[in-house]
Amino acid sequence: MKRTLLTTLLLVAAAPLVRAQQPTDWYPVARDHKPFVRWWWPGSAVDREGLTYNLEQFAQKGIGGVEITPIYGVQGNEASDIDYLSPRWMEMLRHTISEGERLGIEIDMSNCTGWPFGGPNISTDHSARKRIVEEWTLRKGECIADKIRPRDPRQQPLAKLERVMAFDGRRRLDLTERVGGDTLLRWRAPRGEWNVYALFSGRTLQKVKRAAPGGAGLVMNHYDSTALGHYLRRFDEAFAASGCPWPNTFFNDSFEVYGADWDDRLLAAFERLNGYRLEEYLPEFLARDGSDLSARVVSDYRRTLFEMLLANFTRPWTAWAHARGVRTRNQAHGSPGNIIDLYAAVDIPECESFGQTPFAIPGLHRDDGPSRENDADPAVLKFASSAAHLTGKRQTSAEALTWLTEHFRTPLALCKPEIDQMFAAGVNHLYFHGAPYSPAGAAFPGWLFYATVNLSPTNSIWRDAQGLFGYVARCQAFLTAGEPDNDLLLYLPLYDIWREQQGKQFLMFDIHKMDRTMPRFKQAVQTVLAAGYDCDYLSDRYLRTLRVEADGTLVSEGGARYRALVLPDCRLMPLESMRRLAEFVREGATVAFIGSVPDDVPGLSDLKRRRKALRKLFRELPGLTASDGTTVTAYGKGRFITGRKYAEVLAATGARPEPLRFLEGGQMIRRTNEVGGKNYFLALLGSRAVDGWVTLSTRAAAVELFDPLTGERGMALTRTDAEGTTDVRLQLPAGGSMLLKCFPEPPAEAPEAWNYYVPDTERTRTLDRNWVLQFLESDPAMGSRNNAPDAGHEQAARMLNRERIGIEAADPAEKSYIIDTPHSWTEIADPVASVNVGTARYSLTFTLDDPETAADWVLDLGDVRESAAVRVNGHPVGVLWSVPFTLRIGRWLRAGENTLEVDVTNLPANRIADMERRGVRWRIFKDANVASVTNAKEFDFGQWEVVPSGLNAPVTLTPVQKIDEYENR
């Protein structure tokens, strides 16, 4: 879609959108601030030359670290495969770490091949467990003739009999001891109708997904610390034998241990934790009737499973890594439990994005091909950053851009708003997903992994990727400075969430199902954000670690500070947590209940006593009743707030809404900075630009602006009213982002003033004639298919359905085309143009009589597919990779004749579609080979329509004046 001239000029008025030639550091960029990438090793078929080549490419473009994850290999390349953790593999790791030190790249690695943890050293004794229950119904005098064993023959030699229980109403008999060595039950039913259950600890038999050579095998039992120790011993032995240094960080992917709902020690752990025996409540545990008793037993089971995962996997895994000087990075989502606590138990909590968000940013081309909606909206992403803020972790990482589009169709511009959304949710340490290792000489499209975003030298977008990487590095340097400054703590009502999710006992919180597993909590988060506030999530475990300062501020164990604690629609709360809330309020804190007020305790153990104690506590607490209106009740030094309307209740807490959140598409995060003020990251991810005064929720004596795209900085125009509210003059396009640093006192040494501009629209030049197109790179080479096109080319031409209007230049060796007006190079006369991948130079000579009459000139390239490096009069002036594609070029213009060169790089989509149509065998990988974003079993990239390439709209040049000069002339 082409932008109108009016829209373009409105965007031109937003000065920060333009690019500078020499970015300057503000918060200095260190290695940890640069983006990292998951580096897949297909078949671990790496060598020293290839490793060095890949790492040098990463370093040159601005990657700060890699996470090595070995996966399945390349077909026909088995002789080069290297077994995981073998001496040869460790030799390659040693070389990688050595080269990383030389190049300034951090080397991390997954603690497995593929995922999840498992492999050849995991026997069935240490493999993932699942619950198996067989049932019989008996009447008086009847017995079970069958052997007491699972009906599944695969499980019969593996499953361990846990209990045999018989139930008749209130009568509950443990018959386990009556099962003989021949597995027959020696028991006849007495009077009544008896349901007999045989409970087994079986095996999931799940194998490691996408395993590399030497990594295939069963998935480990994540609830068993003995199994974990056995699994990790393989790493200890490999590193000890090789003398290889340990990596910086070990990684664990999202919990995808499917069906792993049991452990041999679960019954004992359940009784120890809950005070009663689960086996005595098997009918209620297995029931699907949604009764209160059943829900309480299931809740206690889920809590037990979660505590076992935390105690037997997450914590000991981290302790093992720490003993070796290594950090841990963990994706807790997917786990069956309170993922806040699981995120908090490691050094770097990690969330992930998965899919494409439908942003309404003008000029941003949402991929029209197969795609899927992003599962990781801000409400989901904030679980990881909340855990980091609560515990004082400096980094929240994210697996970024997973399955953003279909293969070969991801432009850099589409990455930026997804990344901005993650930054606004508290992420400050990106791991791109990902970059397959590929030998330098591998034929197009190189070695691939089935996940689609290929940020590596084999992808055409790599040519200009340093623009994206530099942007990320500058943002992350800013977002790791200072301390988190969210307004509120939002209690995660886990027991209510569990109560709502009945019908199955085992519940995993994976990112793809949050809309179904916790819809009300997600809606609560979205409502809080829409009301202008930000929040961190709070679990019962970390609720008990809070302290209250004299002014009523709630402080977490990691030092994060909050104005109030908000409980959204919470009915079930542990007695200990409710008592702690009362203590907070007595000490001066503000606690707000929205919707329901807790009126019951979760779980079954000692239920009568706990309910009685809760009622007694509520009689002592005034005002804790749900009502339609908002009520504020003093208690001790603090106050309780109740109500049903979010905006009213949140306003009553005293926290001030952040007006920046009310900007259309405005997403932001705020942190305290080193000078006692506030830092803001702001992104406009809607359809409107901002050009005017915006209000901050905090008072600032001065505000410095920083454009993370360019590195430009300057002191903003500000004004403060009598109430202490600060307004900032801001110019920002839709899709743009800005960093704001607020000073409580004027800085002693301030940079120059920020330049604000207004376009002189009457003098806009449209550069729409006399363009020449020349290919700098093309695969296949231009002119290589000038004979009769094959069927694939005919199909491509039909799909294009446009008249080819290019005229070949006099010198065919130049591969130049006089195209006159800028348009997609897929439209030129050469049949290769619609099927190639490469870089083409659009060049133009134009005359400008009076460049000095403007403060600057803004070049707008309009619709760029997909990135562009710009030169003016021979000077490189910037790389454009995100919308809007505009650039200030005044300093390089001169009176008279000027030359403009725009080197545009396209996507590989047309190239791969042509290869598919011609039957070229490029899908050469094992296991999943190349999958589709839609999970379709059969898919054909050859059906794609031709994707535009190059410049696709008129190019304009507009003079701009500084606002003060413009207004005073």
Side-chain angles (χ1 to χ4, degrees):
M1 182 179 67
K2 297 182 179 180
R3 248 191 352 253
T4 65
L5 178 61
L6 176 60
T7 302
T8 299
L9 294 178
L10 288 174
L11 294 175
V12 167
L17 60 89
V18 299
R19 276 68 165 176
Q21 182 184 16
Q22 296 294 335
T24 56
D25 284 338
W26 184 25
Y27 284 93
V29 171
R31 182 179 67 182
D32 272 1
H33 301 139
K34 297 178 181 180
F36 285 26
V37 68
R38 180 169 298 173
W39 192 20
W40 292 294
W41 284 8
S44 294
V46 300
D47 57 38
R48 291 173 179 270
E49 294 75 20
L51 292 169
T52 295
Y53 163 75
N54 279 252
L55 289 169
E56 287 179 343
Q57 289 286 313
F58 291 149
Q60 179 183 353
K61 290 293 184 180
I63 291 291
V66 297
E67 170 221 301
I68 299 168
T69 299
I71 55 163
Y72 53 80
V74 177
Q75 298 173 18
N77 195 53
E78 291 80 6
S80 299
D81 289 349
I82 304 174
D83 279 352
Y84 185 55
L85 298 182
S86 67
R88 177 65 175 163
W89 197 95
M90 298 303 297
E91 181 184 340
M92 294 300 99
L93 177 62
R94 176 191 287 277
H95 177 75
T96 301
I97 292 174
S98 175
E99 288 293 83
E101 291 176 353
R102 177 176 69 88
L103 297 167
I105 291 181
E106 178 177 305
I107 307 301
D108 302 343
M109 62 181 283
S110 174
N111 249 143
C112 58
T113 77
W115 66 92
F117 285 14
N121 67 327
I122 295 300
S123 66
T124 55
D125 289 341
H126 293 136
S127 66
R129 303 293 204 267
K130 72 173 183 178
R131 181 187 71 253
I132 300 173
V133 178
E134 304 292 357
E135 301 181 30
W136 298 265
T137 299
L138 303 178
R139 291 181 174 82
K140 181 180 179 181
E142 294 179 343
C143 64
I144 298 173
D146 302 328
K147 290 187 174 183
I148 305 300
R149 61 183 182 182
R151 289 182 170 85
D152 183 349
R154 297 177 303 165
Q155 296 290 338
Q156 289 175 3
L158 302 174
K160 172 192 173 186
L161 178 63
E162 299 266 81
R163 296 289 188 275
V164 177
M165 303 292 297
F167 300 87
D168 176 24
R170 294 185 178 181
R171 290 188 290 177
R172 300 166 186 245
L173 304 179
D174 187 341
L175 306 178
T176 310
E177 297 299 325
R178 298 198 179 200
V179 179
D182 54 3
T183 70
L184 293 174
L185 176 63
R186 289 164 175 78
W187 180 78
R188 290 187 179 277
R191 184 177 57 187
E193 183 171 293
W194 293 83
N195 292 316
V196 180
Y197 299 85
L199 172 65
F200 300 89
S201 177
R203 306 294 188 274
T204 68
L205 301 178
Q206 180 186 350
K207 295 184 178 180
V208 175
K209 297 177 66 175
R210 320 311 180 203
L218 293 171
V219 169
M220 186 193 78
N221 181 359
H222 283 60
Y223 307 115
D224 182 3
S225 60
T226 301
L228 174 65
H230 176 79
Y231 175 74
L232 295 175
R233 192 175 305 128
R234 187 182 184 203
F235 292 85
D236 286 331
E237 293 170 352
F239 277 89
S242 65
C244 179
W246 292 91
N248 285 278
T249 305
F250 275 123
F251 170 68
N252 177 48
D253 212 330
S254 55
F255 191 88
E256 298 180 37
V257 191
Y258 300 114
D261 59 4
W262 201 257
D263 178 72
D264 296 355
R265 289 154 292 277
L266 188 138
L267 291 179
F270 184 97
E271 184 174 4
R272 185 169 57 253
L273 190 63
N274 299 291
Y276 68 98
R277 300 174 67 198
L278 175 61
E279 59 265 38
E280 294 181 353
Y281 288 84
L282 278 179
E284 292 79 13
F285 173 60
L286 299 171
R288 299 176 181 269
D289 57 9
S291 68
D292 181 71
L293 178 57
S294 174
R296 290 180 180 279
V297 174
V298 169
S299 177
D300 287 339
Y301 157 78
R302 290 170 175 168
R303 176 182 168 221
T304 303
L305 207 60
F306 154 59
E307 293 290 351
M308 293 182 72
L309 179 63
L310 181 64
N312 296 328
F313 174 74
T314 310
R315 285 176 173 168
W317 171 57
T318 298
W320 172 84
H322 286 178
R324 288 144 186 84
V326 183
R327 300 179 300 175
T328 54
R329 198 176 101 248
N330 183 46
Q331 294 183 355
H333 47 276
S335 300
N338 197 320
I339 56 178
I340 298 174
D341 295 352
L342 293 166
Y343 275 131
V346 300
D347 299 302
I348 306 174
E350 178 165 298
C351 54
E352 69 175 281
S353 65
F354 199 106
Q356 185 178 183
T357 305
F359 297 110
I361 300 170
L364 181 68
H365 297 280
R366 180 177 171 87
D367 184 21
D368 295 329
S371 65
R372 56 184 297 166
E373 292 292 325
N374 194 351
D375 293 312
D377 63 22
V380 176
L381 296 170
K382 286 173 69 65
F383 275 97
S385 60
S386 296
H389 295 167
L390 287 172
T391 55
K393 307 294 192 324
R394 303 302 301 177
Q395 292 179 324
T396 299
S397 62
E399 175 190 302
L401 310 178
T402 306
W403 286 110
L404 180 56
T405 69
E406 187 59 275
H407 292 273
F408 311 106
R409 300 179 67 96
T410 304
L412 296 171
L414 206 58
C415 299
K416 182 179 180 295
E418 301 288 354
I419 290 170
D420 287 344
Q421 182 169 252
M422 287 186 280
F423 285 157
V427 170
N428 58 14
H429 190 44
L430 292 182
Y431 282 77
F432 293 130
H433 187 271
Y437 168 94
S438 191
F444 177 84
W447 290 5
L448 299 178
F449 182 50
Y450 77 83
T452 59
V453 178
N454 176 15
L455 279 169
S456 76
T458 63
N459 195 339
S460 60
I461 65 175
W462 186 255
R463 182 184 181 99
D464 294 326
Q466 71 274 9
L468 169 64
F469 298 164
Y471 171 78
V472 169
R474 288 187 283 274
C475 287
Q476 293 186 162
F478 179 80
L479 291 168
T480 52
E483 301 294 336
D485 188 44
N486 287 342
D487 310 289
L488 306 166
L489 277 169
L490 193 68
Y491 176 75
L492 177 67
L494 182 64
Y495 294 102
D496 290 272
I497 292 169
W498 279 346
R499 174 61 67 94
E500 294 163 5
Q501 297 297 324
Q502 294 302 305
K504 60 180 179 179
Q505 296 77 28
F506 184 56
L507 184 65
M508 301 169 67
F509 289 118
D510 65 81
I511 65 168
H512 311 302
K513 299 177 182 177
M514 291 294 199
D515 284 331
R516 285 169 278 173
T517 52
M518 52 176 68
R520 289 202 298 166
F521 182 73
K522 277 193 65 178
Q523 182 60 50
V525 176
Q526 292 161 354
T527 305
V528 169
L529 296 175
Y533 304 89
D534 205 347
C535 60
D536 284 328
Y537 309 157
L538 182 68
S539 66
D540 289 286
R541 188 182 310 273
Y542 287 98
L543 182 151
R544 294 192 288 271
T545 68
L546 297 175
R547 60 182 174 86
V548 182
E549 293 195 340
D551 63 353
T553 299
L554 287 159
V555 183
S556 74
E557 73 169 32
R561 304 167 67 82
Y562 304 93
R563 187 64 181 262
L565 169 58
V566 178
L567 292 88
D569 206 17
C570 176
R571 299 291 301 271
L572 297 168
M573 174 169 272
L575 179 62
E576 302 81 12
S577 295
M578 194 63 219
R579 284 172 171 165
R580 195 75 180 101
L581 290 185
E583 292 176 12
F584 293 157
V585 177
R586 280 196 296 268
E587 295 169 5
T590 297
V591 174
F593 298 90
I594 300 181
S596 303
V597 172
D599 59 6
D600 204 349
V601 293
L604 182 60
S605 176
D606 206 8
L607 182 58
K608 289 184 178 180
R609 182 195 63 80
R610 290 186 294 121
R611 277 177 165 169
K612 181 178 179 181
L614 183 67
R615 289 193 296 268
K616 180 177 182 296
L617 177 61
F618 265 72
R619 287 195 296 270
E620 298 170 357
L621 303 177
L624 283 187
T625 55
S627 60
D628 291 334
T630 298
T631 302
V632 180
T633 306
Y635 178 69
K637 298 178 181 179
R639 57 205 182 122
F640 286 108
I641 304 173
T642 59
R644 298 191 183 279
K645 297 181 178 180
Y646 274 82
E648 290 183 5
V649 173
L650 297 177
T653 66
R656 297 182 64 178
E658 186 59 70
L660 294 180
R661 294 191 177 280
F662 300 131
L663 299 173
E664 182 185 324
Q667 293 200 29
M668 55 146 289
I669 192 167
R670 188 181 65 223
R671 296 175 67 87
T672 60
N673 59 37
E674 72 280 1
V675 297
K678 307 293 184 183
N679 281 352
Y680 290 82
F681 168 87
L682 171 66
L684 292 184
L685 305 183
S687 62
R688 293 186 180 181
V690 169
D691 187 1
W693 293 96
V694 297
T695 302
L696 307 179
S697 67
T698 183
R699 180 188 178 280
V703 177
E704 185 177 5
L705 301 180
F706 186 87
D707 181 358
L709 273 176
T710 68
E712 293 180 284
R713 57 187 289 200
M715 299 305 295
L717 292 174
T718 61
R719 64 189 185 190
T720 303
D721 62 18
E723 298 180 356
T725 298
T726 297
D727 294 339
V728 179
R729 183 75 165 86
L730 196 61
Q731 292 182 317
L732 193 60
S737 49
M738 184 64 66
L739 311 179
L740 294 78
K741 182 176 182 178
C742 299
F743 296 83
E745 301 295 336
E749 297 183 8
E752 296 182 359
W754 183 263
N755 290 322
Y756 297 91
Y757 295 94
V758 64
D760 189 349
T761 58
E762 295 180 358
R763 300 169 59 199
T764 294
R765 292 273 305 273
T766 301
L767 307 178
D768 60 351
R769 289 291 182 269
N770 303 317
W771 286 88
V772 175
L773 178 66
Q774 181 180 9
F775 283 87
L776 307 181
E777 296 179 10
S778 178
D779 180 18
M782 296 298 294
S784 62
R785 298 185 187 176
N786 283 332
N787 298 323
D790 58 24
H793 289 105
E794 291 177 354
Q795 182 179 355
R798 289 195 299 272
M799 289 179 174
L800 183 59
N801 196 27
R802 294 181 181 176
E803 181 182 359
R804 300 184 183 276
I805 60 176
I807 302 175
E808 190 166 350
D811 183 2
E814 296 265 339
K815 298 296 182 296
S816 296
Y817 304 83
I818 301 171
I819 60 172
D820 193 29
T821 61
H823 59 78
S824 172
W825 78 58
T826 59
E827 300 176 6
I828 65 176
D830 193 315
V832 170
S834 63
V835 298
N836 73 337
V837 56
T839 300
R841 174 168 293 168
Y842 289 75
S843 58
L844 172 75
T845 299
F846 63 97
T847 301
L848 192 63
D849 296 331
D850 52 354
E852 72 283 350
T853 61
D856 214 326
W857 293 77
V858 173
L859 177 72
D860 189 338
L861 298 181
D863 184 356
V864 176
R865 305 297 181 93
E866 297 295 337
S867 61
V870 180
R871 295 168 62 90
V872 176
N873 294 322
H875 299 284
V877 299
V879 175
L880 303 179
W881 58 273
S882 63
V883 297
F885 290 92
T886 55
L887 185 69
R888 270 204 322 266
I889 64 171
R891 62 182 291 192
W892 295 280
L893 294 173
R894 60 196 177 204
E897 190 173 88
N898 291 269
T899 300
L900 174 63
E901 296 170 313
V902 184
D903 297 347
V904 186
T905 301
N906 73 338
L907 293 174
N910 294 338
R911 178 76 175 104
I912 209 71
D914 174 61
M915 292 172 66
E916 286 270 271
R917 289 190 291 268
R918 291 188 293 112
V920 176
R921 182 176 175 269
W922 63 273
R923 302 186 195 182
I924 57 173
F925 313 102
K926 296 182 178 181
D927 198 284
N929 205 338
V930 176
S932 171
V933 68
T934 62
N935 291 326
K937 292 183 178 180
E938 299 292 334
F939 58 94
D940 181 5
F941 296 157
Q943 299 299 315
W944 288 346
E945 294 186 2
V946 173
V947 175
S949 302
L951 298 181
N952 288 265
V955 175
T956 62
L957 187 63
T958 299
V960 296
Q961 303 291 353
K962 290 185 179 180
I963 283 184
D964 53 350
E965 297 175 2
Y966 184 87
E967 292 176 346
N968 293 328
R969 67 179 183 173

